[in-house]
Amino acid sequence: MAFGPFLLLATLEGLLQAAVLTLTALGLSLVFGVMRVVNVAHGEFFMLGAVIAWWVTSMLGLPPALGFVAALLISPLAVGAIAYAGERLVLRHLSYNPEATIVATIGMLYIIQQTVLLTYGPDARPVTAPFYYRLQLPWFGYSAYNLFVIAAAIIVLAITWFVLTKTKIGLIMRAAQFDSETAQAFGIPIGKVYGLVFAAGAMLAAIAAVLIVPIRQAHYLMGLDPLLLSFIVVIIGGLGSIRGTVVAALVIGLSDGIISMFFSPTLAKMLSTLLVALVLVFKPEGLFGAKTR
């Protein structure tokens, strides 16, 4: 294959990676932006979304398209409910102390991971894609489902932006983010807001997992890479910055896809880590993050 078509293929793969990474990192950034909580269990919510999607498609016995739609509805709701319960039962009682919540979410990580291992098993299992169609480009064929994932991620991102900027729910979240004490004085139930934000962050990760699981099989250890890459994205973009998350996810996703295709995945991860180090040294708040006073 000539260089041009090879670069196009690498770019498409990078866009696929960026689409899934944007949703996953957006959930992590949303939780930190509103609650100031670093959720170390975020990758396990991603994994749980993929595993529940496998359960739904396997147990219902529906045609692939209907099974996928059912998984896309049920899995994020189930993961959101689990995350909400975890926030109410654990994080709320720690008063959202930064150090304590890191330790608590590490505990949640292992509880979720080992529970899935006991019930689901150690094997990687596939989820059937809702449709199979190969888009024939002039140089090569490319999966139409991969393009669907990119389009679906853009739609979810647009909906999230609309909710955060144009609705009353988004206004309440922003009020809780900027000054939780004043917001509470005006009658905003901060505890419930935090619970819903934590659940929403987990649901975004679950949606990303359901979209990608027909391409990458569900496995109880699959949350590690999304967690690592999400932290890289939010550190580069700025913790709590939605715009920074999107830009950084595009940069990391595209560079990872292109560098992995032309050189090696290891080199791509090394360069991402180097970029994080440079950002921490020269702009610790991230490219789009606000400086702390």
Side-chain angles (χ1 to χ4, degrees), residues 146-169:
N146 289 10
L147 298 177
F148 165 77
V149 171
I150 296 171
I154 292 172
I155 292 171
V156 174
L157 180 63
I159 292 172
T160 304
W161 173 85
F162 180 82
V163 169
L164 291 176
T165 59
K166 303 294 183 180
T167 67
K168 184 178 179 180
I169 295 174

Side-chain angles (χ1 to χ4, degrees), residues 40 59 65 128 142 153 194 228 237 258 283:
V40 184
M59 301 303 176
T128 305
Y142 193 72
Y194 282 177
L228 176 61
I258 294 172
K283 208 172 188 300

Side-chain angles (χ1 to χ4, degrees), residues 196-263:
L196 292 174
V197 167
F198 196 75
M203 289 173 70
L204 284 170
I207 291 171
V210 176
L211 290 173
I212 200 64
V213 74
I215 302 172
R216 300 169 191 168
Q217 297 180 348
H219 187 263
Y220 83 102
L221 291 177
M222 70 181 296
L224 179 60
D225 278 351
L227 177 65
L228 176 61
L229 289 173
S230 294
F231 273 121
I232 289 174
V233 165
V234 296
I235 290 172
I236 293 174
L239 284 167
S241 170
I242 304 301
R243 179 179 59 166
T245 298
V246 174
V247 172
L250 282 172
V251 171
I252 295 301
L254 282 171
S255 63
D256 189 81
I258 294 172
I259 294 172
S260 297
M261 187 76 72
F262 280 96
F263 299 99

Side-chain angles (χ1 to χ4, degrees), residues 114-197:
Q114 295 305 307
T115 301
V116 171
L117 175 61
L118 289 173
T119 55
Y120 173 80
D123 298 327
R125 301 176 186 178
V127 171
T128 305
F131 60 89
Y132 288 99
Y133 180 75
R134 198 160 186 81
L135 188 65
Q136 192 59 44
L137 301 176
W139 310 280
F140 55 82
Y142 193 72
S143 170
Y145 179 75
N146 289 10
L147 298 177
F148 165 77
V149 171
I150 296 171
I154 292 172
I155 292 171
V156 174
L157 180 63
I159 292 172
T160 304
W161 173 85
F162 180 82
V163 169
L164 291 176
T165 59
K166 303 294 183 180
T167 67
K168 184 178 179 180
I169 295 174
L171 179 63
I172 291 173
M173 288 183 181
R174 282 181 282 140
Q177 175 183 359
F178 290 126
D179 194 334
S180 59
E181 292 182 1
T182 302
Q184 196 163 15
F186 277 90
I188 294 176
I190 293 297
K192 291 183 179 179
V193 172
Y194 282 177
L196 292 174
V197 167

Side-chain angles (χ1 to χ4, degrees), residues 24 27-32 35-46 79 83 87 91 98 101-109 112 197-203 205 226-228 230-231 234 239:
T24 309
L28 185 66
S29 183
L30 179 66
V31 169
F32 181 85
M35 300 173 62
R36 300 300 172 188
V37 167
V38 178
N39 180 17
V40 184
H42 192 67
E44 302 315 302
F45 291 132
F46 178 93
V79 172
E87 192 279 336
L91 302 187
T101 52
I102 289 176
V103 176
T105 54
I106 291 174
M108 290 169 63
L109 182 157
I112 294 172
V197 167
F198 196 75
M203 289 173 70
L227 177 65
L228 176 61
S230 294
F231 273 121
V234 296
L239 284 167

Side-chain angles (χ1 to χ4, degrees), residues 27-73:
L28 185 66
S29 183
L30 179 66
V31 169
F32 181 85
V34 176
M35 300 173 62
R36 300 300 172 188
V37 167
V38 178
N39 180 17
V40 184
H42 192 67
E44 302 315 302
F45 291 132
F46 178 93
M47 177 271 292
L48 200 56
V51 170
I52 292 175
W54 177 85
W55 263 324
V56 170
T57 55
S58 300
M59 301 303 176
L60 294 183
L62 296 171
L66 292 178
F68 179 81
V69 171
L72 197 55
L73 293 173

